[in-house]
Amino acid sequence: MSEDLLRYDLMIEAALRDVVRETLATVAQSGLPGEHHFYITFLTNFPGVEIPDYLRKQYPDEMTIVLQYQFFGLKLEDDAFSVSLSFNNVKERLRIPVEAITTFADPSVNFALQFQSGQGDEDEDEDAEQDNAPENANSDSKAESERKKNKAQDKDKDEKRGEVISLDMFRKK
């Protein structure tokens, strides 16, 4: 199989992440216009994510925040944004790299973007290297079987995470 030198998929994803950056920059400067509001889902274990420990324990993989009525101090950096939100009447500051975002939605205009996790590419490369590596004659077949089983379960989890859900239940009727 020939190697794809022009990774259009990665270029498109980068351009769509720029849409998120530009949107957050506009809101940070001018506030939310009209009925706009955002649901932002991100990987809590992504490098650079800064959230309180109790939230990381409660949401070890993914977390969704809503920027609508009560958010404070939204600031955009080159590669991340930070915002203060209230959790159980306690304001907490979150810092989220844009690359950690898996879903960005604005239900007021029926707009949503879904991203591939940057971590998944590394995992796939690592899996490919392991699959192409020669088998060690002394390898324990039970351990190899367990590794394949775990890999299949991880793939199932990734596929479930990629499901599209309807935001209709959040819309005003």
Side-chain angles (χ1 to χ4, degrees):
M1 186 185 295
S2 66
E3 184 179 336
D4 186 5
L5 299 176
L6 294 173
R7 293 291 311 266
Y8 291 113
D9 58 333
L10 297 178
M11 288 186 248
I12 290 169
E13 184 152 320
L16 292 174
R17 286 190 189 276
D18 283 342
V19 170
V20 174
R21 282 184 190 91
E22 188 173 332
T23 300
L24 293 174
T26 299
V27 171
Q29 185 175 17
S30 308
L32 278 170
E35 296 295 317
H36 289 277
H37 57 287
F38 311 128
Y39 289 84
I40 302 172
T41 302
F42 63 95
L43 299 172
T44 56
N45 56 0
F46 194 90
V49 169
E50 296 174 11
I51 60 175
D53 289 338
Y54 74 91
L55 288 176
R56 194 176 309 273
K57 285 179 185 171
Q58 191 173 356
Y59 304 98
D61 299 316
E62 260 187 345
M63 179 178 180
T64 300
I65 58 173
V66 179
L67 302 186
Q68 187 170 14
Y69 299 118
Q70 297 185 354
F71 67 94
F72 313 93
L74 177 62
K75 289 193 168 106
L76 185 67
E77 303 168 24
D78 288 339
D79 63 343
F81 71 97
S82 57
V83 65
S84 293
L85 297 169
S86 181
F87 297 92
N88 296 321
N89 296 321
V90 176
K91 275 189 190 176
E92 299 285 5
R93 190 83 178 151
L94 311 178
R95 182 182 181 278
I96 304 162
V98 175
E99 293 291 321
I101 297 173
T102 58
T103 306
F104 178 88
D106 183 347
S108 71
V109 292
N110 200 24
F111 178 79
L113 297 172
Q114 189 165 11
F115 300 102
Q116 298 298 314
S117 147
Q119 292 177 326
D121 294 340
E122 293 169 9
D123 292 343
E124 287 173 15
D125 293 344
E126 193 175 289
D127 289 343
E129 286 175 18
Q130 288 176 356
D131 290 343
N132 294 332
E135 290 293 324
N136 183 345
N138 295 328
S139 69
D140 180 15
S141 62
K142 185 175 181 181
E144 181 66 19
S145 172
E146 189 67 27
R147 184 185 73 77
K148 287 181 181 178
K149 181 180 168 187
N150 289 341
K151 184 176 168 183
Q153 288 174 343
D154 289 346
K155 196 169 202 165
D156 288 344
K157 286 180 188 175
D158 286 345
E159 288 173 7
K160 287 179 183 174
R161 188 185 79 221
E163 290 177 324
V164 176
I165 59 167
S166 173
L167 296 176
D168 290 339
M169 70 176 134
F170 300 108
R171 291 196 180 105
K172 294 179 182 175
K173 294 187 180 193

